[in-house]
Each structure stands twice: as C-alpha cells, then as structure tokens.
Amino acid sequence: MIEKGVKVVGHDTQANDHPLATAIGPQRNGPLLPHLADEYKQWSGGIDWKDAFPEWEPVHQKIFKAGILGIENVGGDLDAVTGMRCTFAFFPINWDRGDGCIIRLVAMIDRGRKYRIEPGEAF
C-alpha cells in the first residue's frame, strides 16, 4: 500500500492490526483477554503469542507513519459498490486530543459516469 501511494484503507474488522497485536493480547496494557494465550498456543501448534505478535500495532505504525489513514469497522452495504468506481468521503467528529473517532462513511456514485469528483488540490 505504501509503495502504491494508497491514501486511505478501509476494512470490516475491529482494528487495522491482528487483535493479538493490540491490548487484547500481550501488548501494552494487555492482555485484556488473558485466556487467549492458551487458546492461541493450542491453535498455533505451540507458538507463544508473544513470539507471534512481538510488536504493538505494527500495521498502524507503518501505514500511519506513511500518511495512510485507516478506517476500521467499515461494514454496511459495501456489496452495493463492489467493482464500481466510486468516491468515498468520510466525516469524523472533532474529538479534542483524540487519535481516532467514529466517522460517517459515504460512497458517492455517478451511475452515468458524466462527472468526476476532483481531488481538491486547488483549494
């Protein structure tokens, strides 16, 4: 994504990173769900979650430092625009000293393909 010049990435998961690379697992203020340590070790064939996820939110670190925004929990009616050219706009709330917030994500479609929404560099 960084090499391709992606500006924003959105997905329908609770985090840009694997949940065990967050406080849910062995990171920072975690583990919030300590029972997952044994479950992960059994599922992975004996790998400790601290070895599998040694970094705190590595995807956040890489994409945000490259200026790429990440939208989590996209959900909604994405199938309605799958395979179509559309422009996404997102409208965040003003959260004083926050590092993330809830947004309203909107897909704008020109079914007749008669216009193009310009990127706005002139502003």
Side-chain angles (χ1 to χ4, degrees):
M1 287 186 283
I2 294 168
E3 292 171 5
K4 291 191 178 281
V6 170
K7 305 284 187 225
V8 179
V9 61
H11 44 86
D12 191 20
T13 58
Q14 61 87 29
N16 290 292
D17 287 278
H18 189 286
L20 295 181
T22 71
I24 290 171
Q27 302 294 331
R28 292 218 180 156
N29 297 326
L32 296 176
L33 301 174
H35 69 279
L36 293 178
D38 292 334
E39 290 179 29
Y40 183 79
K41 189 171 260 189
Q42 181 180 5
W43 175 86
S44 67
I47 299 171
D48 188 277
W49 67 355
K50 290 179 184 175
D51 295 330
F53 302 96
E55 298 176 61
W56 166 258
E57 297 187 336
V59 175
H60 280 78
Q61 299 293 327
K62 289 176 185 151
I63 69 171
F64 293 166
K65 285 179 182 174
I68 301 171
L69 299 176
I71 302 176
E72 302 166 342
N73 299 309
V74 171
D77 295 325
L78 289 180
D79 288 342
V81 295
T82 298
M84 298 175 68
R85 177 175 285 280
C86 62
T87 298
F88 284 100
F90 47 97
F91 305 94
I93 60 172
N94 185 5
W95 180 17
D96 186 33
R97 292 181 291 279
D99 65 354
C101 69
I102 295 170
I103 65 163
R104 170 75 65 189
L105 181 64
V106 178
M108 294 175 278
I109 303 165
D110 173 25
R111 296 191 192 280
R113 299 178 189 241
K114 294 180 181 168
Y115 69 89
R116 175 184 167 90
I117 297 171
E118 297 300 327
E121 282 101 3
F123 297 104

